[in-house]
Amino acid sequence: MTGRSECAAATTAALRDILEHIDADAVVQRMEPALRRTPEYGRSARDCGASALRASLRRHVGLLLHWMVRGTPPDAYVLSEMYEQARERAAAGQPSSGALLLHHRAAGVFWDAVLGLATAEERGHLADWTDQARRHLDSYLDMVTRTFTQAYADQADLPSAQGDRRARTLFDRLCAHLPITVEDQERAARLGFDPTPPYVPFVVLLDKSTPAERADLAARLRTAGALAFVEDVRVTGLTGPAFDWSAFTGDRRLLLAQGLPAGRAGLQTAVDNLRVLVAVASRSHRGGRVRVEDFLPQLLLARSPELADAVAHRVLGPLAGGDHGELTATLTCLVENQFDSASTTVALHIHRNTLLYRIKQIEKLTGLDLQRHSDRALVWLAVIWTQVSSGRVG
């Protein structure tokens, strides 16, 4: 071995020794603030949950660091796990573009996060290794892209996926008032769905379900004669007026929102309302069948989120921060007890004079008069919107 090659080997060993002491969790912690500002991160957190997304990010960071330190790319077992996760995303109707774009975003901040964890002296050494690190990142992204592409292609070939696509296509055409063509009739015949109106739109949420469970639910609904397809965390579609839900509502995790029998006019609006209804009902921890009539104020707010946020800010903004958490809790308890002082004092385990003092503090900070019906209505709307908007669907 020549002197130059020995020097290069020693440098590489030193660089790998630096990377070996970089903690993957610390890298993820540095990456997350930048990633949270991207829409791809928000969608992925909504689809699979923030904790699951963080665990996945930690897994990828660990694989990359191992590759850089040991010089060993991910093995067949790791790739098969990645493949199955991609298949689950495909089965859930989640586009591959979002996941792949998030991987590219993560790759863009990975090396900066690594450099941020190194000492000043170590950063000087690692800066000389940046080109090689970028080559590792590019190779890793190529591997992820190939795996996702293959998984999505394989999932698309499954009969259940084909049925899902046919159902979605026919549903979109019916909602768009497009003429029913021979191809539409063929799709309906293959699905066993009668395309003759009236239709009953529905949206179903299966609490804490996996993509595979949602795909199975949509397939069973299609077998029973419904036009059903997976839509993100929901199963959406149409049935005839006589459709029997009894075989499905036995699952206590199932949340079902149905519209009224209707023709094609207004069908899209009806389904949009049901999507909002399911989101609101889920955040209110409801299950079984739910009706629009059960959540009219919440739906009204959800349809105007900017105005709803303005109402919440007007009422609760002055109580935010500082030591006003107790006042916010008191105001919420007042709403939950219909502004009845006796019930509120019992619920909060406080004396009546303590409650009166807190109410005066709330009125002083917010400028509201809790004896006025109009101000009470504003407080009520602010509290229920805060409760509705704070949960995660599904």
Side-chain angles (χ1 to χ4, degrees):
M1 182 180 291
T2 65
R4 180 176 295 180
S5 60
E6 288 177 350
C7 182
T11 301
T12 300
L15 290 168
R16 287 178 173 173
D17 184 61
I18 293 172
L19 291 175
E20 193 168 19
H21 292 87
I22 296 292
D23 182 68
D25 287 313
V27 174
V28 171
Q29 192 171 6
R30 279 183 168 267
M31 292 170 63
E32 280 188 313
L35 294 176
R36 285 197 188 101
R37 293 193 288 268
T38 67
E40 298 78 28
Y41 188 94
R43 282 193 292 267
S44 294
R46 179 200 64 198
D47 293 340
C48 64
S51 60
L53 178 57
R54 194 175 196 280
S56 176
L57 188 59
R58 166 65 176 79
R59 174 70 167 154
H60 285 290
V61 167
L63 289 171
L64 260 171
L65 287 173
H66 183 272
W67 191 355
M68 291 178 175
V69 171
R70 304 298 178 191
T72 306
D75 59 22
Y77 176 76
V78 171
L79 291 179
S80 68
E81 280 190 329
M82 196 181 300
Y83 172 87
E84 291 303 327
Q85 290 169 356
R87 282 280 294 269
E88 284 196 350
R89 290 184 64 92
Q94 299 168 9
S96 62
S97 57
L100 292 176
L101 186 53
L102 181 58
H103 277 89
H104 280 268
R105 302 274 196 208
V109 297
F110 166 79
W111 190 243
D112 289 337
V114 170
L115 292 176
L117 290 168
T119 65
E121 182 181 354
E122 289 172 339
R123 278 197 293 273
H125 293 299
L126 290 175
D128 296 332
W129 211 53
T130 297
D131 289 341
Q132 189 169 343
R134 296 296 180 192
R135 286 195 292 273
H136 275 99
L137 284 168
D138 289 342
S139 298
Y140 191 82
L141 287 173
D142 287 343
M143 181 187 65
V144 170
T145 301
R146 287 196 303 271
T147 303
F148 265 69
T149 302
Q150 185 63 54
Y152 270 72
D154 292 345
Q155 180 65 29
D157 290 336
L158 294 179
S160 60
Q162 294 170 3
D164 217 67
R165 286 199 305 275
R166 289 193 190 100
R168 180 61 189 254
T169 300
L170 183 56
F171 174 87
D172 288 342
R173 291 183 62 81
L174 290 173
C175 288
H177 294 254
L178 295 173
I180 296 179
T181 63
V182 174
E183 290 81 2
D184 292 332
Q185 292 173 346
E186 182 181 345
R187 290 188 187 99
R190 287 191 178 188
L191 293 166
F193 176 73
D194 183 2
T196 307
Y199 313 108
V200 179
F202 72 87
V203 175
V204 170
L205 186 70
L206 196 61
D207 188 39
K208 297 178 182 177
S209 60
T210 64
E213 287 177 313
R214 295 192 286 272
D216 176 69
L217 174 60
R220 288 189 288 119
L221 284 166
R222 290 195 295 270
T223 301
L227 186 69
F229 58 92
V230 177
E231 183 186 47
D232 201 1
V233 297
R234 305 174 295 261
V235 176
T236 303
L238 307 170
T239 69
F243 186 83
D244 184 8
W245 282 94
S246 59
F248 303 93
T249 52
D251 190 334
R252 296 176 65 86
R253 297 179 302 162
L254 188 135
L255 175 65
L256 168 64
Q258 284 180 282
L260 298 174
R264 297 174 69 178
L267 194 58
Q268 184 65 64
T269 300
V271 174
D272 289 341
N273 288 334
L274 293 178
R275 291 184 181 114
V276 178
L277 172 58
V278 161
V280 168
S282 171
R283 288 164 175 157
S284 300
H285 309 291
R286 284 285 298 271
R289 293 175 183 263
V290 292
R291 304 177 305 164
V292 170
E293 292 78 7
D294 299 332
F295 296 94
L296 287 175
Q298 292 92 332
L299 292 174
L300 184 65
L301 291 167
R303 277 299 188 185
S304 304
E306 292 183 358
L307 288 176
D309 286 339
V311 170
H313 181 72
R314 166 66 185 88
V315 173
L316 301 174
L319 304 180
D323 299 323
H324 302 319
E326 191 175 67
L327 298 181
T328 302
T330 300
L331 192 59
T332 300
C333 195
L334 274 168
V335 170
E336 292 171 348
N337 288 277
Q338 291 78 50
F339 292 93
D340 180 72
S341 298
S343 300
T344 304
T345 55
V346 171
L348 291 174
H349 306 289
I350 59 176
H351 192 273
R352 182 175 180 274
N353 289 341
T354 303
L355 176 63
L356 293 176
Y357 171 76
R358 291 184 186 177
I359 289 174
K360 288 181 180 178
Q361 289 296 104
I362 291 169
E363 291 178 332
K364 179 180 179 181
L365 290 167
T366 62
L368 298 169
D369 182 355
L370 297 187
Q371 296 303 314
R372 293 174 56 186
H373 291 300
S374 58
D375 284 357
R376 284 188 175 187
L378 203 62
V379 170
W380 182 71
L381 290 172
V383 169
I384 65 170
W385 174 242
T386 301
Q387 293 172 341
V388 165
S389 60
S390 63
R392 189 181 75 84
V393 178

